């Protein structure tokens, strides 16, 4: 492989190439989340709440807050798109292998079946 220098305070992480785009978005959101928590002096469960608190306390301006909220939304979407992508790839592979694809069973369906409905 190649040796790449990293900026001070940074590190390389190894991830499967299939999740690299999502990992970049998620890491960016996490870094912003942490920075905004540090600005307001307390942790927040969600990055968007940390950003809102930093804006409300006048630590960041509206432009910065909007950019951060877009980062958090992109990271959240990336987390969920990964699951859909994996499911799609799995279903395509199943179909190619001749496996029957049945619709997912919902917990309500199971409860109704147990109650004889």
């Amino acid at each position: 492989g190649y040796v790449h220098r990293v900026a001070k305070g940074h590190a390389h992480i190894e991830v499967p190439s299939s999740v690299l785009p999502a990992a970049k978005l998620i890491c960016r959101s996490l870094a912003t989340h942490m920075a905004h928590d540090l600005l307001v002096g307390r942790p927040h469960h969600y990055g968007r709440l940390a950003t809102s608190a930093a804006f409300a306390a006048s630590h960041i301006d509206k432009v910065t807050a909007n950019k951060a909220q877009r980062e958090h939304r992109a990271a959240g979407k990336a987390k969920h798109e990964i699951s859909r992508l994996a499911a799609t790839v799995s279903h395509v592979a199943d179909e190619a292998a001749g496996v029957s694809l049945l619709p997912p069973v919902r917990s309500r369906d199971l409860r109704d079946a147990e109650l004889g409905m």
Side-chain angles (χ1 to χ4, degrees):
Y2 296 98
V3 176
H4 296 279
R5 292 187 184 268
V6 295
K8 186 176 181 177
H10 289 75
H12 287 292
I13 59 172
E14 185 174 348
V15 298
S17 58
S18 60
V19 301
L20 180 60
K24 286 181 177 182
L25 293 170
I26 293 164
C27 288
R28 186 174 301 129
S29 173
L30 287 172
T32 299
H33 181 164
M34 185 173 73
H36 292 167
D37 276 347
L38 291 171
L39 285 174
V40 296
R42 71 180 198 90
H44 294 82
H45 189 75
Y46 299 108
R48 60 185 172 77
L49 297 179
T51 295
S52 293
F55 176 70
S58 299
H59 293 296
I60 59 174
D61 63 19
K62 184 71 171 169
V63 172
T64 303
N66 287 341
K67 179 179 181 275
Q69 295 294 15
R70 286 192 301 274
E71 288 176 358
H72 298 316
R73 275 193 302 277
K77 183 177 179 182
K79 287 180 255 184
H80 297 287
E81 291 297 323
I82 286 294
S83 297
R84 280 196 276 275
L85 175 62
T88 301
V89 170
S90 175
H91 288 318
V92 169
D94 288 346
E95 285 178 333
V99 175
S100 174
L101 297 176
L102 300 174
V105 176
R106 299 183 319 247
S107 60
R108 180 179 172 189
D109 294 336
L110 293 174
R111 187 193 72 230
D112 291 349
E114 289 170 1
L115 296 174
M117 300 178 119

